[in-house]
Coordinates of all heavy atoms in Angstrom, one line a residue:
M53 N 7.6 -10.5 14.6 CA 7.2 -10.6 13.2 C 8.3 -10.0 12.2 O 8.8 -9.0 12.6 CB 5.9 -9.9 13.0 CG 5.3 -9.9 11.7 SD 3.8 -9.1 11.6 CE 2.7 -10.5 12.0
V54 N 8.6 -10.6 11.1 CA 9.6 -10.3 10.2 C 8.8 -9.7 9.0 O 7.9 -10.4 8.5 CB 10.5 -11.4 9.8 CG1 11.4 -10.9 8.8 CG2 11.3 -11.9 11.1
F55 N 9.3 -8.5 8.5 CA 8.6 -8.0 7.3 C 9.7 -7.9 6.2 O 10.9 -7.7 6.5 CB 8.3 -6.5 7.7 CG 7.1 -6.3 8.7 CD1 7.4 -5.9 9.9 CD2 5.9 -6.8 8.4 CE1 6.3 -5.7 10.9 CE2 4.8 -6.7 9.3 CZ 5.0 -6.2 10.6
S56 N 9.3 -7.9 5.0 CA 10.1 -7.6 3.9 C 10.5 -6.1 3.9 O 9.8 -5.3 4.5 CB 9.4 -7.9 2.5 OG 8.4 -6.9 2.3
A57 N 11.7 -5.8 3.3 CA 12.1 -4.5 3.2 C 11.1 -3.5 2.6 O 10.9 -2.4 3.1 CB 13.4 -4.4 2.4
K58 N 10.3 -4.0 1.7 CA 9.2 -3.2 1.0 C 8.2 -2.9 2.0 O 7.7 -1.7 2.1 CB 8.6 -4.0 -0.2 CG 7.7 -3.3 -1.0 CD 7.3 -4.2 -2.2 CE 6.6 -3.4 -3.2 NZ 6.2 -4.2 -4.4
T59 N 7.8 -3.9 2.8 CA 6.7 -3.6 3.8 C 7.3 -2.7 4.9 O 6.6 -1.8 5.3 CB 6.3 -4.9 4.4 OG1 5.7 -5.8 3.4 CG2 5.2 -4.7 5.4
E60 N 8.5 -2.9 5.3 CA 9.1 -2.1 6.4 C 9.2 -0.7 6.0 O 8.8 0.2 6.7 CB 10.5 -2.6 6.7 CG 11.1 -1.8 7.9 CD 12.5 -2.4 8.2 OE1 12.8 -3.5 8.0 OE2 13.3 -1.5 8.7
Y61 N 9.6 -0.4 4.7 CA 9.7 0.9 4.3 C 8.3 1.6 4.3 O 8.2 2.8 4.6 CB 10.2 1.0 2.8 CG 11.7 1.1 2.6 CD1 12.6 0.4 3.5 CD2 12.4 1.8 1.6 CE1 14.0 0.4 3.5 CE2 13.7 1.8 1.5 CZ 14.5 1.2 2.4 OH 15.9 1.1 2.2
G62 N 7.4 0.9 3.7 CA 5.9 1.4 3.7 C 5.5 1.8 5.1 O 4.8 2.8 5.3
L63 N 5.7 0.8 6.0 CA 5.2 1.1 7.4 C 5.9 2.3 8.0 O 5.3 3.0 8.8 CB 5.4 -0.2 8.2 CG 4.4 -1.3 7.8 CD1 4.8 -2.6 8.6 CD2 2.9 -1.0 8.1
V64 N 7.1 2.3 7.8 CA 7.9 3.6 8.4 C 7.3 4.9 7.8 O 7.1 5.9 8.6 CB 9.4 3.4 8.0 CG1 10.1 4.7 8.2 CG2 10.1 2.4 8.9
A65 N 7.0 4.9 6.5 CA 6.4 6.1 5.9 C 5.0 6.4 6.5 O 4.6 7.5 6.9 CB 6.3 5.9 4.4
L66 N 4.3 5.3 6.7 CA 2.9 5.4 7.3 C 3.0 6.0 8.7 O 2.1 6.8 9.1 CB 2.1 4.2 7.2 CG 1.5 3.9 5.8 CD1 0.7 2.5 5.9 CD2 0.7 5.0 5.3
I67 N 4.0 5.6 9.4 CA 4.1 6.0 10.8 C 4.3 7.6 10.8 O 3.7 8.3 11.7 CB 5.2 5.3 11.5 CG1 4.7 3.9 11.8 CG2 5.6 6.0 12.9 CD1 5.9 2.9 12.3
D68 N 5.2 8.0 9.9 CA 5.4 9.5 9.8 C 4.1 10.2 9.5 O 3.8 11.2 9.9 CB 6.4 9.7 8.8 CG 7.9 9.9 9.4 OD1 8.0 9.3 10.4 OD2 8.7 10.5 8.7
L69 N 3.4 9.6 8.5 CA 2.2 10.3 8.0 C 1.1 10.3 9.2 O 0.4 11.2 9.2 CB 1.6 9.5 6.8 CG 2.5 9.7 5.5 CD1 2.1 8.8 4.4 CD2 2.6 11.1 5.1
A70 N 1.0 9.2 9.9 CA 0.1 9.0 11.0 C 0.4 10.1 12.1 O -0.5 10.7 12.7 CB 0.2 7.7 11.6
A71 N 1.7 10.5 12.3 CA 2.1 11.4 13.3 C 1.5 12.8 13.1 O 1.3 13.6 14.1 CB 3.6 11.4 13.5
V72 N 1.3 13.1 11.8 CA 0.9 14.5 11.5 C -0.6 14.5 11.0 O -1.1 15.5 10.5 CB 1.8 15.2 10.5 CG1 3.2 15.3 11.0 CG2 1.8 14.5 9.2
Y73 N -1.3 13.3 11.0 CA -2.6 13.2 10.4 C -3.5 14.3 11.0 O -4.3 14.9 10.2 CB -3.2 11.8 10.7 CG -4.5 11.7 10.1 CD1 -4.8 11.5 8.8 CD2 -5.6 11.8 11.0 CE1 -6.1 11.4 8.2 CE2 -6.9 11.7 10.5 CZ -7.2 11.5 9.1 OH -8.5 11.3 8.6
A74 N -3.6 14.3 12.3 CA -4.6 15.3 12.9 C -4.3 16.8 12.5 O -5.3 17.6 12.6 CB -4.4 15.1 14.4
T75 N -3.1 17.1 12.2 CA -2.9 18.6 11.7 C -3.1 18.9 10.3 O -3.2 20.0 10.0 CB -1.3 18.8 11.9 OG1 -0.6 18.1 10.9 CG2 -0.9 18.6 13.4
G76 N -3.4 17.7 9.5 CA -3.6 18.0 8.0 C -2.5 18.3 7.2 O -2.6 18.5 6.0
E77 N -1.2 18.1 7.9 CA 0.0 18.4 7.1 C 0.2 17.3 6.1 O -0.2 16.2 6.3 CB 1.2 18.4 8.1 CG 1.6 19.6 8.8 CD 2.7 19.5 9.7 OE1 3.8 19.2 9.1 OE2 2.6 19.4 11.0
R78 N 1.1 17.7 5.1 CA 1.6 16.7 4.3 C 3.0 16.6 4.4 O 3.7 17.5 4.9 CB 1.4 17.2 2.7 CG -0.1 17.2 2.4 CD -0.2 17.6 0.8 NE 0.0 19.0 0.7 CZ -0.9 20.0 0.7 NH1 -2.3 19.7 1.0 NH2 -0.6 21.3 0.5
V79 N 3.6 15.3 4.2 CA 4.9 15.1 4.5 C 5.6 14.7 3.1 O 5.1 13.9 2.4 CB 5.1 13.9 5.5 CG1 6.6 13.5 5.7 CG2 4.4 14.1 6.7
Q80 N 6.7 15.3 2.9 CA 7.4 15.0 1.6 C 8.2 13.7 1.7 O 8.9 13.4 2.8 CB 8.3 16.2 1.2 CG 7.5 17.5 1.0 CD 8.2 18.6 0.5 OE1 9.5 18.7 0.7 NE2 7.6 19.5 -0.2
T81 N 8.4 13.1 0.6 CA 9.2 11.8 0.6 C 10.6 12.1 1.1 O 11.1 11.3 1.8 CB 9.2 11.3 -0.9 OG1 7.8 11.1 -1.3 CG2 9.9 10.0 -1.0
G82 N 11.2 13.1 0.5 CA 12.6 13.4 0.9 C 12.8 13.6 2.4 O 13.8 13.2 3.0
E83 N 11.8 14.1 3.1 CA 11.8 14.4 4.6 C 11.8 13.0 5.3 O 12.6 12.8 6.2 CB 10.6 15.2 4.9 CG 10.5 15.6 6.4 CD 9.3 16.5 6.7 OE1 8.8 17.1 5.8 OE2 8.8 16.4 7.9
I84 N 10.8 12.1 4.9 CA 10.8 10.8 5.4 C 12.1 10.1 5.1 O 12.7 9.4 6.1 CB 9.7 9.9 4.8 CG1 8.4 10.7 5.2 CG2 9.7 8.5 5.3 CD1 7.1 10.1 4.4
S85 N 12.6 10.1 4.0 CA 13.8 9.5 3.6 C 15.1 9.9 4.4 O 15.8 9.1 5.0 CB 14.1 9.7 2.1 OG 15.4 9.2 1.7
R86 N 15.2 11.2 4.6 CA 16.2 11.8 5.4 C 16.1 11.3 6.9 O 17.0 11.0 7.6 CB 16.4 13.3 5.3 CG 17.0 13.7 4.0 CD 17.2 15.2 4.0 NE 16.0 16.0 4.1 CZ 15.3 16.2 3.1 NH1 15.5 15.8 1.9 NH2 14.1 16.9 3.3
R87 N 14.8 11.4 7.5 CA 14.7 11.2 8.8 C 15.1 9.7 9.2 O 15.5 9.5 10.3 CB 13.2 11.5 9.2 CG 12.9 11.5 10.7 CD 11.5 11.9 10.9 NE 11.2 13.2 10.3 CZ 10.0 13.5 9.7 NH1 9.0 12.6 9.6 NH2 9.8 14.7 9.2
H88 N 14.7 8.8 8.3 CA 14.9 7.4 8.6 C 16.1 6.7 7.9 O 16.3 5.5 8.0 CB 13.5 6.6 8.3 CG 12.5 7.1 9.1 ND1 12.3 6.8 10.4 CD2 11.4 7.9 8.8 CE1 11.2 7.4 10.9 NE2 10.6 8.1 10.0
G89 N 16.8 7.6 7.1 CA 18.0 6.9 6.4 C 17.6 5.9 5.4 O 18.3 5.0 5.2
R90 N 16.5 6.2 4.6 CA 16.0 5.2 3.7 C 16.3 5.9 2.2 O 16.3 7.0 2.1 CB 14.5 5.0 3.7 CG 14.1 4.6 5.1 CD 14.6 3.2 5.5 NE 14.2 2.8 6.8 CZ 14.3 1.6 7.2 NH1 14.7 0.6 6.5 NH2 13.8 1.2 8.4
A91 N 16.3 5.0 1.3 CA 16.6 5.5 -0.1 C 15.3 6.1 -0.7 O 14.3 5.5 -0.6 CB 17.0 4.3 -1.0
E92 N 15.5 7.4 -1.1 CA 14.2 8.1 -1.5 C 13.5 7.4 -2.7 O 12.3 7.4 -2.7 CB 14.7 9.6 -1.9 CG 13.4 10.4 -2.1 CD 13.8 12.0 -2.3 OE1 14.8 12.3 -1.9 OE2 12.8 12.7 -2.6
R93 N 14.3 7.0 -3.7 CA 13.7 6.3 -4.9 C 12.9 5.1 -4.4 O 11.8 5.0 -5.0 CB 14.8 5.9 -5.9 CG 15.4 7.0 -6.6 CD 14.7 7.3 -7.8 NE 15.3 8.1 -8.7 CZ 14.8 9.1 -9.4 NH1 13.5 9.2 -9.3 NH2 15.5 9.9 -10.2
Y94 N 13.4 4.3 -3.6 CA 12.7 3.2 -3.1 C 11.5 3.5 -2.3 O 10.4 2.9 -2.6 CB 13.6 2.2 -2.4 CG 13.1 0.8 -2.2 CD1 12.7 0.0 -3.3 CD2 13.0 0.3 -0.9 CE1 12.3 -1.3 -3.0 CE2 12.5 -1.0 -0.8 CZ 12.1 -1.8 -1.8 OH 11.6 -3.1 -1.7
L95 N 11.6 4.5 -1.5 CA 10.5 4.9 -0.7 C 9.3 5.5 -1.7 O 8.1 5.3 -1.3 CB 11.0 6.1 0.3 CG 9.9 6.5 1.3 CD1 9.3 5.4 2.1 CD2 10.5 7.6 2.1
E96 N 9.7 6.2 -2.7 CA 8.7 6.7 -3.6 C 7.8 5.5 -4.2 O 6.6 5.7 -4.4 CB 9.3 7.4 -4.8 CG 10.0 8.8 -4.4 CD 10.7 9.5 -5.4 OE1 11.0 8.8 -6.5 OE2 11.2 10.6 -5.2
Q97 N 8.5 4.4 -4.5 CA 7.7 3.3 -5.0 C 6.8 2.8 -3.9 O 5.6 2.5 -4.3 CB 8.7 2.1 -5.4 CG 9.6 2.4 -6.5 CD 10.7 1.4 -6.7 OE1 10.6 0.3 -6.2 NE2 11.7 1.7 -7.5
M98 N 7.1 2.7 -2.7 CA 6.3 2.3 -1.6 C 5.0 3.2 -1.5 O 3.9 2.8 -1.4 CB 6.9 2.2 -0.2 CG 8.1 1.3 -0.2 SD 7.9 -0.3 -0.9 CE 8.9 0.0 -2.4
L99 N 5.2 4.5 -1.6 CA 4.2 5.5 -1.5 C 3.3 5.4 -2.6 O 2.1 5.7 -2.5 CB 4.9 6.9 -1.3 CG 5.6 7.2 0.0 CD1 6.2 8.6 0.0 CD2 4.8 6.9 1.3
T100 N 3.8 5.2 -3.8 CA 3.0 5.0 -5.0 C 2.1 3.8 -4.8 O 0.9 3.9 -5.1 CB 3.8 4.9 -6.3 OG1 4.6 6.0 -6.5 CG2 3.1 4.6 -7.5
S101 N 2.6 2.8 -4.4 CA 1.7 1.5 -4.1 C 0.6 1.9 -3.1 O -0.5 1.5 -3.2 CB 2.5 0.4 -3.6 OG 3.5 -0.1 -4.5
L102 N 1.0 2.6 -2.0 CA 0.0 3.0 -1.0 C -1.0 4.0 -1.5 O -2.2 3.9 -1.2 CB 0.8 3.5 0.3 CG 1.5 2.5 1.0 CD1 2.5 3.2 2.1 CD2 0.6 1.5 1.7
R103 N -0.6 4.8 -2.4 CA -1.5 5.7 -3.0 C -2.5 5.0 -3.9 O -3.8 5.3 -3.9 CB -0.8 6.9 -3.8 CG -1.7 7.9 -4.4 CD -0.9 8.8 -5.3 NE 0.1 8.4 -6.3 CZ -0.3 7.7 -7.4 NH1 -1.6 7.7 -7.7 NH2 0.6 7.3 -8.2
K104 N -2.0 4.1 -4.7 CA -2.9 3.2 -5.5 C -3.9 2.4 -4.7 O -5.0 2.1 -5.2 CB -2.0 2.3 -6.6 CG -1.3 3.3 -7.6 CD -0.5 2.4 -8.5 CE 0.1 3.2 -9.6 NZ 1.0 2.4 -10.5
G105 N -3.4 2.0 -3.5 CA -4.2 1.2 -2.6 C -5.3 2.0 -1.9 O -6.1 1.5 -1.2
G106 N -5.2 3.3 -2.0 CA -6.2 4.2 -1.5 C -5.9 4.6 -0.1 O -6.7 5.2 0.7
Y107 N -4.6 4.3 0.4 CA -4.3 4.7 1.8 C -3.7 6.1 2.0 O -3.7 6.6 3.0 CB -3.1 3.7 2.2 CG -3.7 2.3 2.4 CD1 -3.4 1.5 1.4 CD2 -4.5 1.9 3.4 CE1 -3.9 0.1 1.4 CE2 -5.0 0.7 3.5 CZ -4.7 -0.3 2.5 OH -5.2 -1.5 2.5
L108 N -3.3 6.7 0.9 CA -2.9 8.1 1.0 C -3.1 8.8 -0.4 O -3.4 8.3 -1.4 CB -1.4 8.1 1.4 CG -0.3 7.5 0.5 CD1 0.2 8.3 -0.6 CD2 0.8 7.0 1.4
I109 N -3.0 10.2 -0.2 CA -3.0 11.0 -1.3 C -1.7 11.7 -1.5 O -1.1 11.9 -0.4 CB -4.2 12.0 -1.3 CG1 -4.1 12.9 -0.1 CG2 -5.5 11.3 -1.4 CD1 -5.0 14.1 -0.1
S110 N -1.4 12.2 -2.7 CA -0.1 12.9 -2.8 C -0.4 14.1 -3.6 O -1.3 14.3 -4.6 CB 0.9 12.1 -3.7 OG 1.2 10.9 -3.0
V111 N 0.2 15.2 -3.2 CA 0.1 16.5 -3.9 C 1.5 17.0 -4.4 O 2.5 16.8 -3.6 CB -0.5 17.6 -2.9 CG1 -0.4 18.9 -3.5 CG2 -1.8 17.2 -2.3
R112 N 1.5 17.2 -5.7 CA 2.8 17.7 -6.2 C 3.1 19.1 -5.9 O 2.2 19.9 -5.6 CB 2.9 17.4 -7.7 CG 2.7 15.9 -8.0 CD 2.6 15.7 -9.4 NE 3.9 15.9 -10.1 CZ 4.3 15.5 -11.2 NH1 3.5 14.9 -12.0 NH2 5.5 15.8 -11.7
G113 N 4.4 19.5 -6.0 CA 4.9 20.9 -5.9 C 5.6 21.1 -4.7 O 5.8 20.3 -3.8
P114 N 6.1 22.4 -4.5 CA 6.9 22.8 -3.3 C 6.2 22.6 -2.0 O 6.8 22.4 -1.0 CB 7.3 24.3 -3.6 CG 6.4 24.7 -4.8 CD 5.9 23.5 -5.4
R115 N 4.9 22.8 -2.0 CA 4.2 22.6 -0.7 C 3.5 21.2 -0.7 O 2.5 21.1 0.1 CB 3.2 23.7 -0.4 CG 3.9 25.0 -0.3 CD 2.8 26.0 0.2 NE 3.4 27.3 0.5 CZ 4.0 27.8 1.5 NH1 4.0 26.9 2.5 NH2 4.5 29.0 1.7
G116 N 3.9 20.4 -1.6 CA 3.2 19.1 -1.7 C 3.7 18.1 -0.7 O 4.5 18.4 0.2
G117 N 3.2 16.8 -0.9 CA 3.6 15.7 -0.1 C 2.6 14.8 0.0 O 1.6 14.8 -0.8
S118 N 2.7 13.8 0.8 CA 1.7 12.8 1.0 C 0.9 13.0 2.4 O 1.4 13.6 3.3 CB 2.3 11.5 1.0 OG 3.0 11.2 -0.2
Q119 N -0.3 12.4 2.4 CA -1.2 12.5 3.5 C -2.1 11.3 3.5 O -2.6 10.8 2.5 CB -2.0 13.8 3.2 CG -2.9 14.3 4.3 CD -3.5 15.6 3.8 OE1 -3.9 15.8 2.8 NE2 -3.6 16.5 4.9
L120 N -2.4 10.8 4.7 CA -3.2 9.6 4.8 C -4.8 10.1 4.5 O -5.1 11.1 4.6 CB -3.3 9.1 6.3 CG -2.0 8.5 6.9 CD1 -2.3 8.2 8.3 CD2 -1.6 7.3 6.0
T121 N -5.4 9.1 3.9 CA -6.8 9.3 3.4 C -7.8 9.0 4.6 O -8.9 9.4 4.4 CB -7.2 8.5 2.2 OG1 -7.0 7.1 2.6 CG2 -6.4 8.7 1.0
R122 N -7.4 8.4 5.6 CA -8.3 8.1 6.7 C -7.5 8.1 8.0 O -6.3 8.0 8.0 CB -9.0 6.7 6.5 CG -8.1 5.6 6.4 CD -8.9 4.3 6.0 NE -8.1 3.2 5.8 CZ -8.4 2.1 5.3 NH1 -9.6 2.0 4.8 NH2 -7.5 1.1 5.2
P123 N -8.2 8.1 9.2 CA -7.5 8.1 10.5 C -6.6 6.9 10.6 O -7.0 5.8 10.2 CB -8.6 8.0 11.5 CG -9.8 8.7 10.7 CD -9.6 8.2 9.3
P124 N -5.4 7.2 11.1 CA -4.4 6.1 11.3 C -4.9 4.9 12.2 O -4.6 3.7 11.9 CB -3.1 6.7 12.0 CG -3.6 8.0 12.4 CD -4.9 8.3 11.7
E125 N -5.8 5.2 13.1 CA -6.4 4.1 13.9 C -7.2 3.0 13.2 O -7.5 2.0 13.6 CB -7.1 4.6 15.2 CG -8.4 5.5 14.9 CD -7.9 6.9 14.8 OE1 -6.7 7.4 14.6 OE2 -8.8 7.8 14.9
L126 N -7.6 3.5 11.9 CA -8.4 2.6 11.1 C -7.6 1.8 10.1 O -8.1 0.9 9.3 CB -9.4 3.4 10.3 CG -10.4 4.1 11.1 CD1 -11.4 4.9 10.2 CD2 -11.3 3.2 12.0
L127 N -6.3 1.9 10.2 CA -5.4 1.1 9.3 C -4.8 0.0 10.2 O -4.5 0.1 11.3 CB -4.3 2.0 8.8 CG -4.5 3.2 8.0 CD1 -3.3 4.0 7.7 CD2 -5.2 2.8 6.6
T128 N -4.6 -1.2 9.4 CA -4.1 -2.3 10.0 C -2.8 -2.7 9.3 O -2.7 -2.5 8.1 CB -5.0 -3.6 10.1 OG1 -5.1 -4.1 8.8 CG2 -6.3 -3.2 10.7
V129 N -1.8 -3.2 10.1 CA -0.5 -3.7 9.5 C -0.8 -4.7 8.5 O -0.2 -4.7 7.4 CB 0.4 -4.2 10.6 CG1 1.6 -4.8 10.0 CG2 0.8 -3.1 11.5
F130 N -1.8 -5.6 8.6 CA -2.1 -6.7 7.7 C -2.6 -6.1 6.5 O -2.0 -6.5 5.4 CB -3.2 -7.5 8.4 CG -3.6 -8.6 7.4 CD1 -2.9 -9.8 7.2 CD2 -4.8 -8.5 6.6 CE1 -3.2 -10.8 6.4 CE2 -5.2 -9.5 5.7 CZ -4.3 -10.7 5.5
E131 N -3.5 -5.2 6.4 CA -4.0 -4.7 5.1 C -3.0 -3.9 4.4 O -2.9 -3.9 3.2 CB -5.3 -3.9 5.3 CG -5.1 -2.5 6.0 CD -6.4 -1.8 6.2 OE1 -7.4 -1.9 5.3 OE2 -6.5 -1.1 7.2
V132 N -2.1 -3.1 5.1 CA -1.1 -2.3 4.5 C 0.0 -3.2 3.8 O 0.4 -3.1 2.8 CB -0.5 -1.3 5.5 CG1 0.8 -0.6 4.9 CG2 -1.5 -0.2 5.9
G133 N 0.3 -4.3 4.7 CA 1.3 -5.3 4.2 C 0.8 -6.0 2.9 O 1.6 -6.1 2.0
A134 N -0.5 -6.2 2.9 CA -1.1 -7.0 1.7 C -1.0 -6.1 0.6 O -0.7 -6.6 -0.6 CB -2.5 -7.4 2.1
C135 N -1.2 -4.7 0.7 CA -1.2 -3.8 -0.4 C 0.2 -3.8 -0.8 O 0.4 -3.7 -2.1 CB -1.6 -2.4 0.2 SG -1.4 -1.1 -1.0
L136 N 1.1 -3.7 0.0 CA 2.6 -3.5 -0.4 C 3.1 -4.7 -1.1 O 3.9 -4.7 -2.1 CB 3.5 -3.0 0.7 CG 3.2 -1.6 1.2 CD1 3.9 -1.4 2.6 CD2 3.6 -0.6 0.2
V137 N 2.8 -5.9 -0.6 CA 3.3 -7.2 -1.2 C 2.6 -7.4 -2.4 O 3.3 -8.0 -3.4 CB 3.1 -8.3 -0.1 CG1 3.3 -9.6 -0.8 CG2 3.9 -8.1 1.0
G138 N 1.4 -7.0 -2.7 CA 0.6 -7.3 -3.9 C 1.0 -6.3 -5.0 O 0.6 -6.5 -6.2
S139 N 1.7 -5.3 -4.8 CA 2.2 -4.3 -5.8 C 3.4 -4.7 -6.6 O 4.2 -5.4 -6.1 CB 2.3 -2.9 -5.2 OG 3.3 -2.9 -4.2

C-alpha cells in the first residue's frame, strides 16, 4: 500500500504516540521529528489535523506534547488516513 507523504508522517507520529499510550506520557513534536528524520514544521501540521480529528490531545509548555485520546488498538489506518487526506 502506498501512502502520501502527509499520511505517512501522520502514521509515523501515531506509532510513537501508541508506543507510550499505556504510560500516559506525552511526546513532543521535536522528539518525533528527530527520531524519524522528519521536518518538524510539516509534522506539526499533521498533528494539528489529528488533534482536530479527535485522535490526540496536545499540551503546551516545557512538559507538554501530544497524547492519543483512545487506545491505539481502536485506531485504524483507514480512518486516520481519511482524517489526514481530508485536512
